[in-house]
Amino acid sequence: MEHPETGRVLSVGSLLRIGLIAPVVMVADVWLAQRLFPGFNAGAQFISELGGPAAPNPLIFNVGMVLAGLAGMAAGAGFAQALEEAGGRRRVSAFAGLWVAMTGLGALFAGLFHWPDPMHRACGVGLAIQFAPLFTAWALWGKPQHRRLAHFSLGWFFGLLLVLALLTGVWNVRTGSDVGLWQRGHAFLGLLWLAIAAWSLDRHWRSRPATPEGGDEAEPDYAPAAS
């Protein structure tokens, strides 16, 4: 008979591994849709146009975004539980998972409501990936076994913030002919962090000592859940 604790570990581990798959699906989907769109200018055109009326194969982009979005939302649940287990900060971990899930929700909106549908603007909730590294660092801060991931995530947050500022036109670095590249750069950096963080959390989750069957649960190596 499967031990309840073992089942829970497998469940969260599976969700974290989905967090590794979601970025791959998104990047592969955009790459394939661009390859099948003759004359598409990745520098001057937005990603969303790959699923719009001018695209020769919009279904490829739109279906891919729906699949990636569902995967991202599932990954958010895994992040929330794994971060709480690792750092003991329940509400902060829940928010970190929420930002990851909202990134998936943004991709889902992008696939369901095709550009230039006014509802397509809802895909902007995907920018929530900006805050996921910050809350992940907060959730893990002060935990020696997660020091590298916490510091990495905090540094990545400031890097993403800089790219977002440039994307929105700060310092007039962005031009009309390269807005698509800045958009892709911010999205790629966010997805890269997601994959690295999911991999790191999954490794820690799978290395946790199993609770002996029929015995008391081992004392956790973190403080009780707090905000």
Side-chain angles (χ1 to χ4, degrees):
M1 178 175 166
E2 185 181 46
H3 194 273
E5 182 73 9
T6 304
R8 189 166 69 94
V9 169
L10 291 176
S11 174
V12 174
S14 297
L15 292 173
L16 290 171
R17 285 187 283 277
I18 289 175
L20 276 167
I21 295 171
V24 175
V25 173
M26 287 191 190
V27 172
D29 183 46
V30 171
W31 176 83
L32 181 59
Q34 286 183 183
R35 292 278 295 179
L36 298 177
F37 194 151
F40 185 81
N41 187 333
Q45 292 180 260
F46 289 103
I47 297 173
S48 297
E49 296 181 53
L50 295 169
N57 301 284
L59 197 62
I60 293 175
F61 176 81
N62 294 325
V63 171
M65 284 296 108
V66 169
L67 295 176
L70 293 173
M73 292 170 67
F79 262 74
Q81 192 163 341
L83 287 171
E84 181 184 344
E85 178 76 24
R89 298 181 173 99
R90 179 177 302 165
R91 280 177 288 205
V92 176
S93 300
F95 271 106
L98 176 64
W99 305 139
V100 172
M102 286 180 67
T103 301
L105 184 61
L108 184 64
F109 278 131
L112 292 177
F113 303 103
H114 317 148
W115 183 87
D117 186 321
M119 278 296 294
H120 184 77
R121 297 175 184 175
C123 72
V125 300
L127 288 174
I129 191 66
Q130 177 70 52
F131 300 103
L134 176 63
F135 277 74
T136 295
W138 186 359
L140 299 176
W141 203 259
K143 307 302 173 183
Q145 66 272 37
H146 294 287
R147 184 181 294 110
R148 285 191 296 179
L149 180 57
H151 290 178
F152 166 76
S153 295
L154 183 61
W156 205 270
F157 163 73
F158 287 111
L160 270 178
L161 188 62
L162 175 61
V163 175
L164 179 63
L166 297 176
L167 168 62
T168 55
V170 174
W171 301 309
N172 294 319
V173 172
R174 193 206 73 198
T175 68
S177 61
D178 65 2
V179 62
L181 292 178
W182 284 106
Q183 184 194 30
R184 284 162 177 74
H186 184 271
F188 178 77
L189 289 174
L191 293 173
L192 181 59
W193 172 84
L194 176 59
I196 293 172
W199 175 78
S200 178
L201 288 172
D202 180 48
R203 282 189 63 200
H204 172 76
W205 188 267
R206 287 187 286 116
S207 67
R208 294 166 65 250
T211 303
E213 189 168 354
D216 296 328
E217 288 193 8
E219 188 70 18
D221 61 352
Y222 52 82
S227 58

